[in-house]
Amino acid sequence: MTVSPTRPGLRLTRRVSDIQVSPTLEVLNRAQALMAKGFDVVDFGPGEPDFPTPPSVSAAGIRAIERGFTKYTNALGTKALRDSIAKRYNTRYGTSLQSEHVIAGNGGKQELFNLMLALVDKGDEVIIPVPYWVSFPDQVQFAGGTPVFARTEASNRFRATLDGIQAVASERTRGVILNSPNNPTGAVITEEELEKIVEWCVSRDVFLIFDETYEFFVYDGNRHASAMRWFERYPETVIVVNSMSKTFAMTGWRLGYAVAHPEIISAIGKIQSHSTSNPSSIAQAAATEALAGDESEVQKMYVAYQERRAWLVPAINAIDGLCCADPDGAFYIFPDVKSWFGKGGIHDSQSFANYLLDEARVAVVPGSAFGADDFVRISYATSMERIREGVKRIEEALRRLDA
Ligand code: PLP
């Protein structure tokens, strides 16, 4: 049956009409369509590791299936997994978390979504530093709130600051979302700045959601500062969200988690129990193994990202009209491309990305997806060989444009 989108009577809610699939991801859809037709596209789009899940972790998933661990679990996750998440934090930060502080879900994304539904009411404002990860504003909006954007500066490597947050705060501010290391810029917030923001959130009685999905990937002597350091002092304020996806190359397993005050965990657990229930039992068994096991595979990924970044940043900066700050962490670079605007039909990040796809067969994500239209995101979660090839193609395509 074909259903016309304009059929009278087909009604969608205001809630869903107000959010959108980012139109800028259109470039990536086009890139995939080209690849499906057999074109050789260098894909700098992916937000996921190009490495396989560590074998010991996959083996734990297989064992879970073989021993019949394939039924519903507690909707908030198994006690074994929640205990191992708590233990990992306790070991690193000297906290005394227990399973009641932890919920596991289908990715960090689900826990962020649940948190918005539990904490944001209609009319509430939530402050998000720009550039931001694509889902934050839509999640806030879906919950009935209003995203409010705080400036960061490329000259300060896009690190979030209290000044930027305070400049947009109002009496309707209900919370702040920080993401460090940041997707798309790689920015890593300093411990001093984070402390100031935590104290400010406490003084204003607003929540702080701290998304540390890329915590493991921090370079050049930068140190990851986690809001977990302040969790026990301010359990009503600080909420930490994390994921197995990037650190353990487990994007498809769908396993992420949140650490929060037990009352917040119960609230989001209620939401989860009526939506997805537990994350996959098999993924939970694999994640429990990953958290308990050694991190040698993760370390290998880290070394590879470090090498790629060390080659890529100067190579991009060597191309006329591209300018990229050293990203502190994650596996992205975020070059400024605006000096190409006005040439060859390029007028924004989307048309720049389209040009690269058409003329160089290279896919990048337009910065407009992250609220920063002068930039594009290049992911180096792909092999060194493809990175070299992609950079060569970008350089040639831009040279043609300049000729
Ligand atoms: N937070 C950030 C900043 C991300 O980049 C992502 C994924 O790209 C997520 C959260 C969600 O990851 P997942 O749902 O795979 O755990």
Side-chain angles (χ1 to χ4, degrees):
M1 187 182 76
T2 4
V3 180
S4 155
T6 54
R7 182 171 61 105
L10 179 65
R11 294 223 317 251
L12 296 175
T13 59
R14 183 68 190 273
R15 194 182 308 121
V16 77
S17 307
D18 280 354
I19 60 169
Q20 42 192 303
V21 176
S22 172
T24 50
L25 296 181
E26 192 190 303
V27 185
L28 296 184
N29 294 338
R30 280 189 54 222
Q32 267 154 21
L34 283 171
M35 288 188 263
K37 283 190 197 150
F39 286 94
D40 172 29
V41 176
V42 176
D43 192 2
F44 285 147
E48 64 179 347
D50 55 315
F51 300 99
T53 302
S56 59
V57 177
S58 295
I62 294 166
R63 281 198 306 277
I65 297 174
E66 286 172 348
R67 74 183 149 94
F69 189 64
T70 51
K71 303 287 171 64
Y72 289 136
T73 72
N74 182 304
L76 284 69
T78 62
K79 180 146 183 353
L81 175 59
R82 293 164 73 200
D83 278 345
S84 58
I85 294 165
K87 187 168 162 219
R88 192 169 148 94
Y89 276 116
N90 293 342
T91 309
R92 286 158 81 192
Y93 297 104
T95 45
S96 39
L97 302 180
Q98 292 170 7
S99 58
E100 61 178 10
H101 295 99
V102 180
I103 183 168
N106 292 275
K109 190 180 264 183
Q110 185 187 16
E111 295 317 337
L112 288 161
F113 194 76
N114 290 343
L115 282 162
M116 301 311 158
L117 293 181
L119 299 175
V120 177
D121 265 323
K122 196 164 168 24
D124 287 345
E125 293 181 352
V126 178
I127 299 178
I128 305 170
V130 182
Y132 48 73
W133 176 52
V134 285
S135 292
F136 292 141
D138 282 320
Q139 289 187 343
V140 169
Q141 205 153 327
F142 193 82
T146 305
V148 172
F149 301 112
R151 276 181 70 100
T152 63
E153 301 300 332
S155 57
N156 187 32
R157 298 178 170 208
F158 299 104
R159 292 170 177 163
T161 61
L162 178 58
D163 285 350
I165 290 168
Q166 273 179 320
V168 294
S170 80
E171 71 283 358
R172 288 194 298 280
T173 302
R174 171 70 183 101
V176 175
I177 305 176
L178 291 183
N179 166 217
S180 175
N182 177 275
N183 174 7
T185 64
V188 171
I189 195 165
T190 61
E191 185 152 335
E192 302 76 63
E193 202 64 32
L194 181 54
E195 176 159 37
K196 284 197 243 167
I197 296 172
V198 171
E199 298 288 352
W200 181 84
C201 288
V202 172
S203 73
R204 296 285 297 249
D205 192 22
V206 304
F207 66 75
L208 174 67
I209 293 179
F210 188 81
D211 175 342
E212 56 179 2
T213 291
Y214 295 87
E215 61 167 338
F216 203 85
F217 305 113
V218 174
Y219 316 102
D220 274 0
N222 289 294
R223 260 177 37 125
H224 174 61
S226 174
M228 184 51 72
R229 288 192 192 286
W230 293 275
F231 177 75
E232 291 202 323
R233 205 173 326 153
Y234 305 123
E236 279 94 13
T237 301
V238 175
I239 299 160
V240 174
V241 174
N242 207 333
S243 170
M244 303 302 292
S245 288
K246 318 288 172 167
T247 307
F248 295 96
M250 290 179 72
T251 45
W253 297 78
R254 308 308 303 129
L255 210 299
Y257 48 93
V259 176
H261 190 288
E263 279 177 39
I264 298 178
I265 295 296
S266 299
I268 59 182
K270 255 195 298 187
I271 297 170
Q272 190 157 299
S273 73
H274 292 300
S275 54
T276 59
S277 296
N278 59 280
S280 152
S281 56
I282 301 153
Q284 291 189 68
T288 309
E289 167 69 29
L291 292 168
D294 79 272
E295 287 183 352
S296 54
E297 291 296 317
V298 179
Q299 191 60 32
K300 281 187 211 155
M301 297 183 223
Y302 174 75
V303 169
Y305 290 139
Q306 207 171 18
E307 280 168 12
R308 296 169 185 180
R309 172 183 172 279
W311 186 87
L312 179 61
V313 173
I316 288 290
N317 277 326
I319 299 176
D320 270 352
L322 298 187
C323 171
C324 163
D326 266 347
D328 303 323
F331 43 67
Y332 309 108
I333 65 169
F334 202 57
D336 186 329
V337 300
K338 70 173 167 306
S339 68
W340 291 99
F341 296 178
K343 294 181 186 164
I346 296 174
H347 51 89
D348 57 11
S349 60
Q350 169 113 29
S351 47
F352 181 88
N354 278 328
Y355 177 81
L356 288 190
L357 188 58
D358 294 334
E359 297 298 321
R361 295 279 184 247
V362 172
V364 300
V365 186
S368 49
F370 313 101
D373 202 19
D374 291 344
F375 300 82
V376 296
R377 189 189 77 179
I378 294 178
S379 160
Y380 51 88
T382 187
S383 72
M384 202 57 229
E385 189 198 347
R386 295 303 277 167
I387 292 172
R388 286 183 202 274
E389 173 64 20
V391 169
K392 182 166 128 288
R393 292 188 196 182
I394 294 175
E395 202 266 322
E396 286 166 1
L398 293 178
R399 195 149 18 92
R400 283 199 297 281
L401 189 57
D402 223 5

